Amino acid sequence: MTADTSAAAPRQRLRAGDDPDAHLRTNPAKVAIGIVGMVVVVWGLANLFLAFGYYPQWFGNKFVIGVLAIVGGVGGAALLFYFLNMFVEGLPRRLSEGLIPYAFILPGLLLVGLMLIYPTFQTINYSFANADSTAYVGLQNYKTIFGSSEFWQSIVNNILWLLIVPALVVAFGVIVAVLADKLSATGEKVAKSLIFLPMAISAVGASAIWLLVYAYNNPGQAQTGLLNAIWTGLGGDPQTWLALDTAKLNSILLMVILIWLQAGFAMVLLSSAIKGVPEDTIEAARIDGAGELQIFWQVVIPQIKGTIITVFVTVFITVLKVFDIVYVTTNGAYGTNVIANLFFNKLFAASEAGQATAIVVVLLIAVIPLIWYQIKHFRDEEAGR
C-alpha cells in the first residue's frame, strides 16, 4: 500500500492533461526551426561582411558600412542566440538543461579558435617553411635567426625594456596613487585625470607627440623640441636624442614613452587597492608607534601585493610585445630594435615569412610562462578570498 502511494505521488502532482513523459521527448519543430535559423543567420552575416570587403561600392560610403556592421553584428548575434536557444529548448528537457550553458559558450569558443588558436598553429607550421611558405626547410629559419646579430641585439633590447619599464610603471603608479590620496577630493580627481589621460592616446599618437619633444634643429636655429630647448637653455648643444652614440640610452628614451602611457593604468588599479586597505590595520600601526614610511612599507604594500603583481605582469607582457613606439620613432635604427619590430620588418620589408614566423614562435614561447603565472596568481587570489 505504501509503495503504491509513493509511486503514485509524482503522478498526483501532475495537472489534468499533463504528459508525464514530456521531459523525455524532442520538439521537432523547435529543433528544425533552430537549426535552419542558425544556418541562415550565419550565412547572411558571412555574406554581409564579405560584401563589405569585396564590394564596398554597393554601400555608398564608409559611414553606411559602419552602421550596417554594427546593426548586422549586434542584431545577427541576437538572432543567432535566439535560434540557438530555440534549438536547445526543443531537445529533451534533461539534455536541454545540461547542454544550454555549453551551447551559449560555443559561439565564443569557435571565434576564439578561429581567430587565435588556428592562426597560432598555422604560424608554428609556417616557421618551418621557406620565405614564401611553399616548401618546408626544417629548422633552417631558427638557425638563421639565432645566428643573426640583429636578432640577439633585439633580444638584449627586449630584456632591457623588461627590466626597466614594468618596475618604473609600478613604482610611479604606487607613488602617484599614494600622493593623490593625500589631496582633497577635487584635487585627487583632477590629478588622476591628468595622469590617466595618456591612456586615451594610442601608442602611435604618443610616439608622434614624443617625437616633437625629442625634435632636433641644427645649432643656431630655434629648437622646437622641448628637450633640446631645455638643454640649449642650460648651455648645452642640441642633441639628436634618438640617434645618440649610446644605443642603450636611445632605447631608454623610447621607454619613457611607454612609461608615460602606462603609469595612469597602474595608478588607477593601485589607488583602488590602497583605498581597500582596512583603516583598522593602519590605525593599529600608528598606535604601535609606526611612522608613515613604516606603515607604507610594512602595512600597505604587503596588503596590495596581489595588485602590484597583477599590474607588473600585465605591463611585462605589454612590454614584451612592444612594437608601435619603436616602429614610429626609429624603426629599429640606432640600436633600438626589438623582437616585434624585427618580425614586422622581416615579414613586410624583407619578405621572409619563414624567418618572421620563427621570430613570432620564439616570442610566443617567451610569453607562455608569464601568462601561465598570471592565471595561476589570479586563481590563487580567488581561492584565498
Side-chain angles (χ1 to χ4, degrees), residues 205-215 242 253 256-257 260-261 329:
S207 301
I209 292 170
W210 279 86
L211 280 175
L212 297 175
V213 174
Y214 294 141
L242 298 179
L253 291 172
V256 171
I257 303 173
W260 180 68
L261 283 172
T329 52

Side-chain angles (χ1 to χ4, degrees), residues 210-233:
W210 279 86
L211 280 175
L212 297 175
V213 174
Y214 294 141
Y216 166 83
N217 288 329
N218 292 324
Q221 296 178 341
Q223 297 299 321
T224 56
L226 177 62
L227 192 54
N228 266 325
I230 295 172
W231 186 254
T232 54

Side-chain angles (χ1 to χ4, degrees), residues 28 95 122 289 358 374:
L95 177 60
Q122 192 72 314
Q374 190 174 30

